[in-house]
Amino acid sequence: MCGIVAACFKKGDVVPTLVEGLRCLEYRGYDSAGLAVLASGLPVRKAKGRVQDLAALLEEDPVPHSSVGIAHTRWATHGVPSKVNSHPHRSGSVVLVHNGILENFEELKESFLEGGTEFVSETDSEVWASLLDHELTKIRAEAPLDSLGVMKALNRAMAKAKGSFGLAILVEDLPGRIFFARHESPLVLGISDKGHYVASDVQAVLKETHDFIYLLEGNCGWIDDSSYQVFDRDLHPIEAKVEHLDWDAESVGKSGYDHFMLKEIEEQGIVLANTLSSTTSSKDRILPDFQVSEDTLRSFDRIVIVACGTALHAGRLGRFILEEAAGIPVDVDFASEFRYRNPLVGERDLILAISQSGETADTLGAVKVAREKGATAVAICNVRGSSLCRLVADTILTQCGPEIGVASTKAFTAQVLAIHLFAMRVGMARRQMGEEELLRRLNVLRASRTAIETLLSSEVRSHIAEVAKKYAYKSVYFFLGRGPDYPIAMEGALKLKEISYLHAEGYPAGEMKHGPLALVSEDMVVVALAGQGETYDKVLGNMQEVKTRGAKLVVLTNTEKKEAIELADDVILVPRTDPLVAPLLHVIPLQYLAYYVALERGCEIDKPRNLAKSVTVE
Ligand code: F6R
């Protein structure tokens, strides 16, 4: 949460790049934004609200022309969203932007207050600026300040700071350089002929460069317009590896769509094709680059999936896929719960962490706990070089390109596909599946693109938009599914609640009679997943239970299911497919439904209130 972008150019004005970088990072936080440039007195501009509010302020009250600057978009943790609490923060000669949480800020603030320091904001980040300024003052007393002196001060401050941080810093008496540090908050360096960049993620500067250094835990250093230096946590200089990223710069734009979410929903056919082609060889070898050996994959007694939110729902569906294909017991847990219950895991467990961003603090924490207990961890992740990728034995990289809408859509599809491939790999290793079955499954996955494209057609879309309009002002939604459709029901409910602010629950259809049936009234919409599969008859019974009690019934089914169609107030038809991929297809109409309900209600679809995309705090 919070986005940082900073740049040092050889020439030219840095402000347009900073503002554009903030726009690309706005999904990380959007309650206020600010920047500072290298000019006399290190001028700062801040605005409560969106990046566009900062841009408007800069038109009215521009900063002096400068080719060096730091900028920030905020997702409030300490202190309300306001101009004064927004970044950059200043203390003495230090102006900085911070992503993360300074956990011991109260204690530090207390001691600085006693020493006479004054604070203007309620934030922990201002205390970070003060902490660094105090360390710089001590260094200045030892010798004239140079860049190495700043590194020493930063290193001392890092040792005193508890919590997570990504920092970009200007120091008034050392112009021309931006200093940086990271611990448990992502930070990358961008390298180009024009100059150098520091950013929370690559998206911020993808229009400027495709060459990146993914900083490691405890790294710190500086950039200037023609060089950069990275140090480890013991202040030893390190040779950081520059990696070329082939993401298309266009992918961080909306390509004519009104919202990123809609664009990302409609990219799911391509995501499927890309993920499959990048994870199978020309000879149909599955995950040819995956480094964990067949022997190792055979050696586990259990797989434990840890993830959050949408990725967790992919994991819940993944449990069905893995148990069926690989014949291995699978447990699935909220990453945020797993780490706090002294989980019984050990050497015979394989941890599968799923995360779009690879920076979710809860997921990283769960993996760390499992590894400390001797488990092997692997990941499914969309961001090469992310903290999660570094933590695990190997990663299956999904091929979504950047996902920018806060509500995750295409990442879910890619995660489920990656689980299928992983399940096939584990199934082969454990001799639960032969070559012929593997090829059959691969063909089913490939062929599902046609069904996905059907669901993404304008006819389906406009029909769902009509249904959404009809029910947009009902107050409660229940999404019902059974078996592998239950995680899809949960995902449908999550999508709706996060972008339309309606109360929505995903429930196993058979559980309604054990309590929630008492809630059913005419103000409730029940979305029932009644596709193919052995539970169809049971779901039909559950649909009758809610219908007779007055709920409005929207049913996802296929043309053959006449009874379901007759019972429904509204029907969303899905193509009949192999059961292997049916649940995956069902998610697409639910994503559209959430989108159109939110649109009808006038909600901010790509930036829902109180949320941010990359949840780097616990
Ligand atoms: C929901 C959503 C979140 C994320 C969750 C995990 O639409 O986006 O629930 O799925 O915060 O994020 P990652 O996958 O980045 O670990």
PDB file of all heavy atoms in Angstrom, residues 268-286:
ATOM      1  N   GLN A 268      -9.195 -12.138 -20.262  1.00  0.00           N
ATOM      2  CA  GLN A 268      -9.001 -13.482 -19.713  1.00  0.00           C
ATOM      3  C   GLN A 268      -8.774 -14.582 -20.759  1.00  0.00           C
ATOM      4  O   GLN A 268      -8.101 -15.560 -20.492  1.00  0.00           O
ATOM      5  CB  GLN A 268     -10.144 -13.832 -18.765  1.00  0.00           C
ATOM      6  CG  GLN A 268     -10.007 -12.993 -17.493  1.00  0.00           C
ATOM      7  CD  GLN A 268     -11.118 -13.198 -16.479  1.00  0.00           C
ATOM      8  OE1 GLN A 268     -10.959 -13.898 -15.506  1.00  0.00           O
ATOM      9  NE2 GLN A 268     -12.247 -12.578 -16.713  1.00  0.00           N
ATOM     10  N   GLY A 269      -9.292 -14.369 -21.969  1.00  0.00           N
ATOM     11  CA  GLY A 269      -9.018 -15.342 -23.031  1.00  0.00           C
ATOM     12  C   GLY A 269      -7.530 -15.340 -23.375  1.00  0.00           C
ATOM     13  O   GLY A 269      -6.883 -16.394 -23.491  1.00  0.00           O
ATOM     14  N   ILE A 270      -6.970 -14.143 -23.484  1.00  0.00           N
ATOM     15  CA  ILE A 270      -5.542 -14.014 -23.832  1.00  0.00           C
ATOM     16  C   ILE A 270      -4.685 -14.521 -22.676  1.00  0.00           C
ATOM     17  O   ILE A 270      -3.669 -15.183 -22.876  1.00  0.00           O
ATOM     18  CB  ILE A 270      -5.197 -12.539 -24.122  1.00  0.00           C
ATOM     19  CG1 ILE A 270      -6.027 -12.055 -25.291  1.00  0.00           C
ATOM     20  CG2 ILE A 270      -3.718 -12.341 -24.417  1.00  0.00           C
ATOM     21  CD1 ILE A 270      -6.120 -10.569 -25.406  1.00  0.00           C
ATOM     22  N   VAL A 271      -5.116 -14.203 -21.447  1.00  0.00           N
ATOM     23  CA  VAL A 271      -4.362 -14.646 -20.274  1.00  0.00           C
ATOM     24  C   VAL A 271      -4.270 -16.179 -20.265  1.00  0.00           C
ATOM     25  O   VAL A 271      -3.217 -16.758 -20.015  1.00  0.00           O
ATOM     26  CB  VAL A 271      -5.046 -14.131 -18.981  1.00  0.00           C
ATOM     27  CG1 VAL A 271      -4.572 -14.879 -17.757  1.00  0.00           C
ATOM     28  CG2 VAL A 271      -4.805 -12.647 -18.829  1.00  0.00           C
ATOM     29  N   LEU A 272      -5.378 -16.820 -20.595  1.00  0.00           N
ATOM     30  CA  LEU A 272      -5.383 -18.287 -20.641  1.00  0.00           C
ATOM     31  C   LEU A 272      -4.364 -18.773 -21.677  1.00  0.00           C
ATOM     32  O   LEU A 272      -3.512 -19.619 -21.387  1.00  0.00           O
ATOM     33  CB  LEU A 272      -6.789 -18.787 -21.002  1.00  0.00           C
ATOM     34  CG  LEU A 272      -6.871 -20.289 -21.217  1.00  0.00           C
ATOM     35  CD1 LEU A 272      -7.771 -20.903 -20.158  1.00  0.00           C
ATOM     36  CD2 LEU A 272      -7.394 -20.661 -22.585  1.00  0.00           C
ATOM     37  N   ALA A 273      -4.442 -18.194 -22.886  1.00  0.00           N
ATOM     38  CA  ALA A 273      -3.540 -18.642 -23.952  1.00  0.00           C
ATOM     39  C   ALA A 273      -2.086 -18.384 -23.551  1.00  0.00           C
ATOM     40  O   ALA A 273      -1.229 -19.269 -23.697  1.00  0.00           O
ATOM     41  CB  ALA A 273      -3.886 -17.920 -25.240  1.00  0.00           C
ATOM     42  N   ASN A 274      -1.794 -17.195 -23.012  1.00  0.00           N
ATOM     43  CA  ASN A 274      -0.407 -16.870 -22.647  1.00  0.00           C
ATOM     44  C   ASN A 274       0.103 -17.754 -21.526  1.00  0.00           C
ATOM     45  O   ASN A 274       1.239 -18.213 -21.552  1.00  0.00           O
ATOM     46  CB  ASN A 274      -0.284 -15.407 -22.214  1.00  0.00           C
ATOM     47  CG  ASN A 274      -0.424 -14.469 -23.388  1.00  0.00           C
ATOM     48  OD1 ASN A 274      -0.423 -14.924 -24.525  1.00  0.00           O
ATOM     49  ND2 ASN A 274      -0.563 -13.189 -23.118  1.00  0.00           N
ATOM     50  N   THR A 275      -0.752 -17.963 -20.510  1.00  0.00           N
ATOM     51  CA  THR A 275      -0.298 -18.772 -19.375  1.00  0.00           C
ATOM     52  C   THR A 275      -0.023 -20.196 -19.848  1.00  0.00           C
ATOM     53  O   THR A 275       0.996 -20.796 -19.487  1.00  0.00           O
ATOM     54  CB  THR A 275      -1.333 -18.738 -18.224  1.00  0.00           C
ATOM     55  OG1 THR A 275      -1.514 -17.391 -17.834  1.00  0.00           O
ATOM     56  CG2 THR A 275      -0.881 -19.540 -17.019  1.00  0.00           C
ATOM     57  N   LEU A 276      -0.901 -20.729 -20.705  1.00  0.00           N
ATOM     58  CA  LEU A 276      -0.670 -22.104 -21.169  1.00  0.00           C
ATOM     59  C   LEU A 276       0.576 -22.194 -22.044  1.00  0.00           C
ATOM     60  O   LEU A 276       1.376 -23.119 -21.892  1.00  0.00           O
ATOM     61  CB  LEU A 276      -1.889 -22.605 -21.948  1.00  0.00           C
ATOM     62  CG  LEU A 276      -3.079 -23.018 -21.083  1.00  0.00           C
ATOM     63  CD1 LEU A 276      -4.253 -23.417 -21.954  1.00  0.00           C
ATOM     64  CD2 LEU A 276      -2.710 -24.158 -20.147  1.00  0.00           C
ATOM     65  N   SER A 277       0.753 -21.213 -22.936  1.00  0.00           N
ATOM     66  CA  SER A 277       1.910 -21.358 -23.831  1.00  0.00           C
ATOM     67  C   SER A 277       3.220 -21.120 -23.083  1.00  0.00           C
ATOM     68  O   SER A 277       4.234 -21.712 -23.418  1.00  0.00           O
ATOM     69  CB  SER A 277       1.788 -20.473 -25.063  1.00  0.00           C
ATOM     70  OG  SER A 277       1.868 -19.144 -24.655  1.00  0.00           O
ATOM     71  N   SER A 278       3.190 -20.307 -22.046  1.00  0.00           N
ATOM     72  CA  SER A 278       4.464 -20.065 -21.347  1.00  0.00           C
ATOM     73  C   SER A 278       4.774 -21.159 -20.318  1.00  0.00           C
ATOM     74  O   SER A 278       5.864 -21.202 -19.775  1.00  0.00           O
ATOM     75  CB  SER A 278       4.430 -18.713 -20.647  1.00  0.00           C
ATOM     76  OG  SER A 278       3.575 -18.798 -19.546  1.00  0.00           O
ATOM     77  N   THR A 279       3.829 -22.033 -20.038  1.00  0.00           N
ATOM     78  CA  THR A 279       4.079 -23.041 -19.002  1.00  0.00           C
ATOM     79  C   THR A 279       4.106 -24.472 -19.565  1.00  0.00           C
ATOM     80  O   THR A 279       4.196 -25.431 -18.824  1.00  0.00           O
ATOM     81  CB  THR A 279       2.999 -22.972 -17.902  1.00  0.00           C
ATOM     82  OG1 THR A 279       1.726 -22.891 -18.539  1.00  0.00           O
ATOM     83  CG2 THR A 279       3.181 -21.791 -16.984  1.00  0.00           C
ATOM     84  N   THR A 280       4.009 -24.558 -20.891  1.00  0.00           N
ATOM     85  CA  THR A 280       4.152 -25.891 -21.502  1.00  0.00           C
ATOM     86  C   THR A 280       5.161 -25.774 -22.641  1.00  0.00           C
ATOM     87  O   THR A 280       5.218 -24.744 -23.326  1.00  0.00           O
ATOM     88  CB  THR A 280       2.806 -26.378 -22.092  1.00  0.00           C
ATOM     89  OG1 THR A 280       2.281 -25.350 -22.918  1.00  0.00           O
ATOM     90  CG2 THR A 280       1.793 -26.700 -21.025  1.00  0.00           C
ATOM     91  N   SER A 281       5.951 -26.827 -22.860  1.00  0.00           N
ATOM     92  CA  SER A 281       6.938 -26.765 -23.938  1.00  0.00           C
ATOM     93  C   SER A 281       6.274 -27.190 -25.243  1.00  0.00           C
ATOM     94  O   SER A 281       5.136 -27.649 -25.254  1.00  0.00           O
ATOM     95  CB  SER A 281       8.096 -27.700 -23.614  1.00  0.00           C
ATOM     96  OG  SER A 281       7.661 -29.020 -23.794  1.00  0.00           O
ATOM     97  N   SER A 282       7.009 -27.032 -26.345  1.00  0.00           N
ATOM     98  CA  SER A 282       6.426 -27.409 -27.637  1.00  0.00           C
ATOM     99  C   SER A 282       6.071 -28.904 -27.638  1.00  0.00           C
ATOM    100  O   SER A 282       5.196 -29.338 -28.372  1.00  0.00           O
ATOM    101  CB  SER A 282       7.394 -27.072 -28.760  1.00  0.00           C
ATOM    102  OG  SER A 282       8.618 -27.693 -28.473  1.00  0.00           O
ATOM    103  N   LYS A 283       6.752 -29.684 -26.781  1.00  0.00           N
ATOM    104  CA  LYS A 283       6.421 -31.116 -26.745  1.00  0.00           C
ATOM    105  C   LYS A 283       5.419 -31.421 -25.636  1.00  0.00           C
ATOM    106  O   LYS A 283       5.358 -32.540 -25.119  1.00  0.00           O
ATOM    107  CB  LYS A 283       7.704 -31.916 -26.520  1.00  0.00           C
ATOM    108  CG  LYS A 283       8.666 -31.826 -27.676  1.00  0.00           C
ATOM    109  CD  LYS A 283       9.660 -32.970 -27.635  1.00  0.00           C
ATOM    110  CE  LYS A 283      10.487 -32.971 -28.892  1.00  0.00           C
ATOM    111  NZ  LYS A 283      11.877 -32.617 -28.656  1.00  0.00           N
ATOM    112  N   ASP A 284       4.651 -30.433 -25.244  1.00  0.00           N
ATOM    113  CA  ASP A 284       3.627 -30.589 -24.206  1.00  0.00           C
ATOM    114  C   ASP A 284       4.197 -31.011 -22.865  1.00  0.00           C
ATOM    115  O   ASP A 284       3.536 -31.717 -22.089  1.00  0.00           O
ATOM    116  CB  ASP A 284       2.533 -31.585 -24.642  1.00  0.00           C
ATOM    117  CG  ASP A 284       1.641 -30.972 -25.703  1.00  0.00           C
ATOM    118  OD1 ASP A 284       1.604 -29.726 -25.785  1.00  0.00           O
ATOM    119  OD2 ASP A 284       0.995 -31.729 -26.436  1.00  0.00           O
ATOM    120  N   ARG A 285       5.443 -30.646 -22.605  1.00  0.00           N
ATOM    121  CA  ARG A 285       5.963 -30.882 -21.255  1.00  0.00           C
ATOM    122  C   ARG A 285       5.419 -29.778 -20.358  1.00  0.00           C
ATOM    123  O   ARG A 285       5.458 -28.598 -20.716  1.00  0.00           O
ATOM    124  CB  ARG A 285       7.494 -30.866 -21.277  1.00  0.00           C
ATOM    125  CG  ARG A 285       8.099 -31.842 -20.291  1.00  0.00           C
ATOM    126  CD  ARG A 285       9.592 -31.945 -20.508  1.00  0.00           C
ATOM    127  NE  ARG A 285      10.360 -31.261 -19.447  1.00  0.00           N
ATOM    128  CZ  ARG A 285      10.338 -31.590 -18.184  1.00  0.00           C
ATOM    129  NH1 ARG A 285       9.601 -32.567 -17.758  1.00  0.00           N
ATOM    130  NH2 ARG A 285      11.062 -30.929 -17.305  1.00  0.00           N
ATOM    131  N   ILE A 286       4.887 -30.191 -19.198  1.00  0.00           N
ATOM    132  CA  ILE A 286       4.241 -29.216 -18.308  1.00  0.00           C
ATOM    133  C   ILE A 286       5.297 -28.561 -17.424  1.00  0.00           C
ATOM    134  O   ILE A 286       6.141 -29.254 -16.859  1.00  0.00           O
ATOM    135  CB  ILE A 286       3.236 -29.942 -17.384  1.00  0.00           C
ATOM    136  CG1 ILE A 286       2.260 -30.770 -18.191  1.00  0.00           C
ATOM    137  CG2 ILE A 286       2.524 -28.987 -16.454  1.00  0.00           C
ATOM    138  CD1 ILE A 286       1.170 -29.997 -18.804  1.00  0.00           C
TER     139      ILE A 286
END
